[in-house]
Amino acid sequence: MSGFWQEYPDDESEVLGKAYLKIDPASAAKARGYVREWIGADHPAYENVRLATSELVTNAILHAKRRRPDDLIMLTLTRRTDSLCLEVLDPGGGSWRLLAAPGARNRTGRRGVRARPRHRR
């Protein structure tokens, strides 16, 4: 893989799923379906990952800069030692990394997710 995984290799990483989606509003629902298939609705981080998937895929659909009519969005979910990494790549600018640790809580005691931009080099 490229980008984040080359910078921070993790022998414990496991790609749970990868899907290519059309730049189409129906793709957000398809992406949520993939997440459910890959980690199951009973996973502790499911609701957070499902919501983040929906938001990121919708954002990619709305703001992707198509270069060709057949451009696609790539969705990847990877399990790391103590977290999940959701990547949504579109034909536009950079990408975002989302880390959701199962059962993790932020400083206020609430469950949450973190996202950081990853700039292409």
Side-chain angles (χ1 to χ4, degrees), residues 31-45:
R32 290 189 302 271
Y34 285 126
V35 167
R36 184 182 181 108
E37 178 184 320
W38 297 337
I39 64 172
D42 59 342
H43 190 283

Side-chain angles (χ1 to χ4, degrees), residues 52 55-56 86 95-100 112-118:
E55 293 292 324
L56 292 173
L86 174 67
S95 61
W96 289 77
R97 288 192 298 267
L98 174 73
L99 300 174
V113 294
R114 295 179 294 139
R116 291 184 288 182
R118 180 182 71 196

Side-chain angles (χ1 to χ4, degrees), residues 25-104:
S27 291
K30 288 181 184 179
R32 290 189 302 271
Y34 285 126
V35 167
R36 184 182 181 108
E37 178 184 320
W38 297 337
I39 64 172
D42 59 342
H43 190 283
Y46 172 70
E47 287 299 326
N48 287 335
V49 176
R50 180 179 175 273
L51 176 61
T53 299
S54 189
E55 293 292 324
L56 292 173
V57 170
T58 298
N59 188 58
I61 291 164
L62 293 174
H63 302 290
K65 293 182 175 90
R66 293 186 191 190
R67 293 183 175 89
R68 298 183 312 262
D70 59 343
D71 277 341
L72 299 172
I73 297 166
M74 184 178 77
L75 172 70
T76 307
L77 184 63
T78 305
R79 178 186 355 246
R80 298 191 64 207
T81 303
D82 61 352
S83 63
L84 296 171
C85 179
L86 174 67
E87 291 184 284
V88 176
L89 301 174
D90 65 50
S95 61
W96 289 77
R97 288 192 298 267
L98 174 73
L99 300 174

